[in-house]
Amino acid sequence: MVFVDLLGFGVLIPLVPFYAVKLGLSPGWVTFVISLHALFQFVGAPILGRISDRMGRRPVLMISMLGHAGAYLLLGFADSIAVLVLSRMLSGFTSGNLATAYAYVADVCPPEKRAAGLARVSSAFALGYALGPLLGGLLAGNVTPVAADLHRPAFMAAVLSLLSFAAIVFLLPETHHPSRISHDTPVGMQTRTEIIRRDTTLLLMLVLSLTVFVCAAMRESLLALWAHDKHHFDTHSITQLFTINGLGVAAMQFFVTGLVIQRLGELRTVRVGIVCYGVGWLILVLADGFGWLTVGILCGSVATALFGTSLQTLVSSRAAGNTRGTVMGIYQSSSSLARFAGAAFSGALYDLAGYDAPYTLGAMMMLPALLLTVWIARSLQRSIA
């Protein structure tokens, strides 16, 4: 289900900026429109997380798939900025599927196997994210992005979301039954503010995710435009970069991430991911050809796999079963807020300071991110003592 859904999402990832370009928007406005998905994910993810705690995981997953299908259909018919904006808002608000999928895995995996289980879900996510751009490039045509056919990829993404909906309805059992949970801590009684206020370690983890994902969002939102503007890549070459990135993340998640976390522990793995992010961004800034761009992209793939899964595992460990959906929703919400801020800010930085400025800033911000991990380690030690 995760793979098919992200295959549809990946079909559009490298092409969405050019929907906006075709409507006459500048890079600053293009990245703002792109960022609306993350902004409305920030609003919707905690709501859908609480629903998954109260009603079960399946209803939220079904809502997400139907919402995505509707958003992609709107995108396929988008002939105005208003319709494009509505599509991004709907896709973001109904994007509670990933946090719910992680909560689903946490429901069925014992603590000692949770990191490996989350890594498998992330690998399915990354594989769909890898093959989707390749499919999107084939559907759009091997031409310049502005001249590409942007309707067929959107309609294919809608079909894939509907297939995911059918799989959930007919194949996916429910794992979360609120009526069976102890009433010692009533489901849904703790608000997001109360959960965060009572857990300083969780708060620090959320700040870390904000710091890193703001920078990651700048890379993701600008990569297609940056490759087109700086390196003069066509649709085929741009989608190749996204495919390389996704395959790198998928391979890491499926074969390596779980082993690294077992050997180093979650927090050390987070630190390795942060360092890889910084190195990857510096390589992109200095790269002068497709080969070095590939190296930079793969460094980012390693970072995404190690940082994302290990931090998600740490966050999931801060929640009991009856609040896990809410806590994972809070985490996804904070990540979405970061992605909105990063994407919205990146376009202005790109316009004002040059093509490489967002990536240079991203590399520099990994230093305070490493400092945050020191505070998290101390907070974890105090909570154990």
Side-chain angles (χ1 to χ4, degrees), residues 137-138 140-144 234-237:
L138 292 173
N142 189 18
V143 294
T144 62
D234 60 14
T235 302
H236 180 66
S237 297

Side-chain angles (χ1 to χ4, degrees), residues 46 68 70 85-86 107 135 143 160 175 183 188 254 266 287 311 314 322 324 327 340 353 385:
H68 287 177
V85 166
L86 181 61
D107 289 338
L135 178 59
V143 294
L160 290 169
T175 63
H183 296 287
F254 198 82
E266 287 86 356
L311 188 58
L314 284 171
N322 59 340
R324 187 170 291 129
V327 170
F340 165 72

